[in-house]
């Protein structure tokens, strides 16, 4: 009885993970078919593995086939982190589909980490160029910094950008480092 129950439990887990994988593959397929390659690139930038590394960290022009390959590998890798990665993928997909403003802020945050505009150390996040602006320089959590940027994005005026707007300032700093926004 114990052996049968254990075997059934493994099978149930395998089926659950297979269903999650199929859901993630369907989401990836939807993105490939309905959105331009740059959106897939942005998605790959915000998607982080179990070590906190982005799926794609290359800057500049990245071949869309490389992005697609990395996203496929992220979903289909068969190591012990598979279920966690698929959950991260599906959570990012929900964000992608449901909250474009938050998705943009996640992209900017990830690019800021990739380009060392932001650094994480000693349990804090630092906006390296803002040492002279204490309210912008140090953050207790990544979520606090992202929420601040999202709020700033809400007050951002595209026609009359201001250096007193953190979203505008970060975007300009990232663009100077070669980060693209479409």
């Amino acid at each position: 009885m114990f052996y049968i129950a254990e075997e059934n439990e493994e099978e149930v887990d395998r089926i659950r993970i297979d269903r999650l994988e199929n859901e993630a593959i369907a989401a990836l397929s939807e993105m490939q078919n309905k959105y331009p390659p740059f959106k897939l690139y942005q998605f790959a930038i915000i998607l982080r593995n179990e070590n906190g590394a982005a799926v794609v960290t290359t800057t500049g022009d990245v071949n869309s086939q490389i992005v697609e390959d990395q996203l496929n590998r992220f979903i289909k890798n068969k190591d012990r982190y598979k279920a966690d990665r698929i959950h991260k993928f599906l959570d990012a997909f929900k964000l992608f589909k449901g909250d474009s403003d938050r998705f943009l802020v996640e992209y900017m945050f990830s690019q800021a980490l990739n380009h060392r505009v932001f650094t994480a150390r000693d349990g804090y996040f630092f906006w390296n160029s803002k040492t002279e602006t204490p309210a912008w320089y140090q953050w207790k959590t990544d979520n606090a910094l992202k929420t601040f940027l999202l709020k700033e994005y809400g007050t951002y005026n595209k026609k009359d950008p201001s250096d007193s707007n953190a979203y505008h300032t970060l975007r300009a700093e990232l663009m100077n480092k070669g980060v693209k926004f479409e």
Side-chain angles (χ1 to χ4, degrees):
M1 290 283 266
F2 175 72
Y3 174 74
I4 294 171
E6 188 174 292
E7 193 172 292
N8 281 347
E9 191 173 304
E10 286 177 17
E11 189 172 301
V12 168
D13 281 346
R14 207 172 38 251
I15 289 170
R16 182 183 56 80
I17 290 174
D18 285 347
R19 284 181 180 163
L20 280 173
E21 181 178 340
N22 291 340
E23 190 179 337
I25 290 169
L28 178 58
S29 180
E30 180 182 334
M31 285 191 295
Q32 292 166 327
N33 294 325
K34 291 185 177 180
Y35 298 95
F38 186 73
K39 288 293 181 187
L40 222 57
Y41 168 75
Q42 286 180 308
F43 187 85
I45 290 293
I46 72 163
L47 195 58
R48 304 250 166 206
N49 67 16
E50 58 280 353
N51 298 322
V55 172
V56 173
T57 56
T58 308
T59 59
D61 292 329
V62 179
N63 186 315
S64 62
Q65 292 158 335
I66 291 172
V67 172
E68 183 178 333
D69 178 59
Q70 291 303 309
L71 289 170
N72 269 304
R73 289 174 186 267
F74 187 84
I75 294 168
K76 296 176 182 175
N77 193 328
K78 297 197 181 298
D79 64 12
R80 66 183 176 156
Y81 302 110
K82 181 177 183 109
D84 290 338
R85 277 196 315 278
I86 292 173
H87 281 292
K88 286 180 181 186
F89 185 95
L90 292 172
D91 288 345
F93 182 70
K94 285 177 191 167
L95 181 67
F96 174 78
K97 293 283 288 183
D99 191 346
S100 59
D101 293 350
R102 184 68 144 175
F103 182 80
L104 174 62
V105 167
E106 289 286 342
Y107 172 71
M108 292 176 71
F109 178 83
S110 292
Q111 287 288 37
L113 285 175
N114 292 345
H115 288 79
R116 292 180 175 57
V117 173
F118 295 163
T119 53
R121 70 176 181 275
D122 304 325
Y124 292 95
F125 286 85
F126 297 91
W127 187 342
N128 297 320
S129 65
K130 298 299 167 197
T131 54
E132 302 297 319
T133 313
W136 292 9
Y137 176 62
Q138 183 176 333
W139 299 87
K140 289 185 180 183
T141 66
D142 61 337
N143 195 45
L145 178 51
K146 291 173 193 176
T147 300
F148 169 70
L149 291 170
L150 189 60
K151 181 179 149 261
E152 291 289 296
Y153 179 64
T155 62
Y156 173 65
N157 183 349
K158 201 184 265 190
K159 293 179 183 173
D160 187 24
S162 166
D163 287 338
S164 66
N165 181 280
Y167 168 82
H168 168 72
T169 303
L170 178 59
R171 181 181 167 102
E173 192 170 342
L174 289 172
M175 288 175 78
N176 284 338
K177 296 213 178 248
V179 173
K180 296 188 179 185
F181 288 88
E182 290 293 326

